[in-house]
Amino acid sequence: RHVTWAPAGPAALSLGGRTRLIQWIEATHSFIVYVEVGALGGWRNGEICRLLLASNFLLADTQGGALSYNDATGMVGLNVPIPA
């Protein structure tokens, strides 16, 4: 377990090889929580990307969150806004 605090930007927690971030967004008076949900890799990348994008369409399947892909880590993540 590893927690990283910074004077500005997100607080990061690495647990079980996956990263969790929380950041205060002053402009919207809300927190953004990011959780890695799994790696994107293999021969089905195109199919998986289509499913990720379909889930994000009008935020219908994510209940206000957004799925994302971090090219630097190869991980899919879920970003969820939480109002203060």
Side-chain angles (χ1 to χ4, degrees):
R1 297 180 187 162
H2 182 73
V3 178
T4 303
W5 298 98
L13 169 66
S14 180
L15 185 62
R18 295 198 178 159
T19 300
R20 289 113 171 113
L21 302 172
I22 186 166
Q23 183 169 2
W24 172 251
I25 308 298
E26 185 65 34
T28 59
H29 296 284
S30 63
F31 290 95
I32 296 292
V33 176
Y34 169 81
V35 178
E36 289 180 338
V37 295
L40 179 63
W43 60 274
R44 297 178 64 196
N45 283 359
E47 180 182 345
I48 293 168
C49 286
R50 280 193 302 280
L51 290 170
L52 289 171
L53 291 171
S55 294
N56 280 341
F57 181 69
L58 300 178
L59 305 175
D61 292 334
T62 61
Q63 281 130 37
L67 294 163
S68 62
Y69 174 69
N70 184 338
D71 200 33
T73 63
M75 294 295 280
V76 173
L78 178 64
N79 307 273
V80 180
I82 300 174

